[in-house]
Amino acid sequence: MRIAISSQNFRTVTGHAGKARRFLILDETGRELQRLDLPKEQCFHEWHGADDAPHPIDGVDVLITAGAGQGFRNRLARRGIRVEATAESDPAAAVRLILEGRLPPPLPEEEHSDEHGHGHEHGHGHGHGHAHSHGPAQVRLAPPGKAQVSLSSTTRGKRMYASSIELKTPYRDFDDAVEQVKAALAAEKMGVVSDVNVQAIFKAKMDHVIPGYRILGACVAPLARRVIEADPEGGALLPCNVIVRADAAGRVFVTIMDPQAVLGLAGNAEIDRVAEEATGMLEGFKARLGG
């Protein structure tokens, strides 16, 4: 059995399967057999081949993704490939769970992730209108001898776009903690190009009080330039957000965007190299905070 995983970063299950250019091919044990890195014209959003025209995705039995539109599902169904969307982010775990008939459904916001402008069908001999499905996602695939299950889309999985650490260095108060985070970023040559005070905004706009919460936009100008030159739309994935937040007990946590997970959505080799460099810088940043 061959199972395809849409994975723009070759590490986690990612969504927007119709626009995806990278897929992991695994066997039923979760062992990696192959990596597909398709040219733009072979992603299904751009590909106009007939249903019987050869495509690199051919030969798989099921495709697992974080989100896909009904048009994409229909196109692959005509190629004999079943599409299953899930909130599970680990490829090997997704394979195991689908064989056990326990694959969790997708997150609600991912369920129709290709529908708006991307879920329509482009191939020869089939329609161009938007095909929408309604209601909660249903997971029905199970191997022979296994009970089939139906799960509602209320189950939420862990998202792999960021990681958090508790700030371990001494700080006087929340504002001092924020300044320490900024200093640690500067030490790794990462500038702060934006500073959103969510606590102050909520208080001013809604008279709603929350503990300290700041969103810092971290940027390395040469890396940002490489992203935009590689793909002018890549700026939508910038900057790298770093959240500094306090809890009710006064502890301070720092949440750091995963550049490889986010920039991997671009499906661009040069942007992937930028993401690797940014990840190394952020690892040094975390170490300075005691994480």
Side-chain angles (χ1 to χ4, degrees):
M1 186 176 189
R2 291 169 62 88
I3 301 170
I5 308 284
S6 63
S7 180
Q8 287 297 94
N9 53 23
F10 286 138
R11 294 188 299 113
T12 59
V13 181
T14 59
H16 299 283
K19 295 186 72 176
R21 292 163 56 185
R22 290 181 169 181
F23 298 88
L24 293 169
I25 309 298
L26 310 181
D27 66 12
E28 66 275 10
T29 69
R31 180 172 64 92
E32 183 177 321
L33 301 175
Q34 184 182 2
R35 293 187 177 192
L36 296 181
D37 194 348
L38 306 177
K40 185 176 181 180
E41 61 270 16
Q42 284 191 328
C43 80
F44 277 89
H45 182 71
E46 302 288 342
W47 195 63
H48 304 292
D51 291 335
D52 58 354
H55 188 276
I57 203 70
D58 292 343
V60 305
D61 301 286
V62 61
L63 185 146
I64 300 174
T65 180
Q70 191 58 46
F72 175 80
R73 293 171 180 269
N74 292 343
R75 293 187 72 182
L76 264 66
R78 289 192 289 269
R79 306 183 78 86
I81 302 171
R82 186 183 183 93
V83 176
E84 292 290 345
T86 182
E88 175 57 57
S89 61
D90 180 77
V95 168
R96 174 176 55 80
L97 291 170
I98 200 170
L99 293 177
E100 293 174 354
R102 299 190 299 115
L103 188 71
L107 299 172
E109 63 268 29
E110 292 281 4
E111 187 175 352
H112 305 296
S113 64
D114 281 335
E115 296 288 356
H116 301 287
H118 309 302
H120 50 281
E121 302 179 15
H122 288 290
H124 299 287
H126 42 86
H128 292 270
H130 292 272
H132 294 266
S133 62
H134 301 280
Q138 301 293 311
V139 178
R140 303 183 186 280
L141 181 66
K146 296 282 187 179
Q148 292 186 339
V149 296
S150 177
L151 301 174
S152 73
S153 61
T154 55
T155 304
R156 299 184 67 86
K158 183 178 180 182
R159 302 298 291 270
M160 301 301 292
Y161 52 71
S163 60
S164 295
I165 60 171
E166 183 176 356
L167 186 61
K168 298 297 186 181
T169 56
Y171 50 88
R172 296 187 303 275
D173 52 25
F174 180 73
D175 288 339
D176 182 49
V178 172
E179 291 307 312
Q180 288 193 33
V181 171
K182 289 182 176 180
L185 286 168
E188 295 296 323
K189 303 188 186 308
M190 304 185 76
V192 175
V193 296
S194 60
D195 182 350
V196 181
N197 190 332
V198 178
Q199 181 191 46
I201 292 171
F202 281 10
K203 176 62 178 175
K205 300 291 186 181
M206 301 179 291
D207 196 27
H208 179 67
V209 178
I210 64 170
Y213 198 110
R214 302 269 282 275
I215 304 174
L216 308 179
C219 179
V220 180
L223 296 186
R225 176 183 175 181
R226 285 167 57 189
V227 168
I228 293 170
E229 288 181 347
D231 182 352
E233 295 180 348
L237 305 175
L238 303 175
C240 178
N241 285 326
V242 175
I243 299 169
V244 188
R245 59 183 176 85
D247 66 7
R251 295 179 301 172
V252 174
F253 297 86
V254 181
T255 300
I256 305 155
M257 187 185 90
D258 181 346
Q260 291 179 300
V262 175
L263 294 179
L265 295 172
N268 181 289
E270 172 62 12
I271 294 178
D272 287 344
R273 287 189 284 270
V274 170
E276 290 177 7
E277 292 181 38
T279 297
M281 299 173 78
L282 288 170
E283 289 300 321
F285 161 69
K286 286 195 290 187
R288 292 177 183 276
L289 299 178

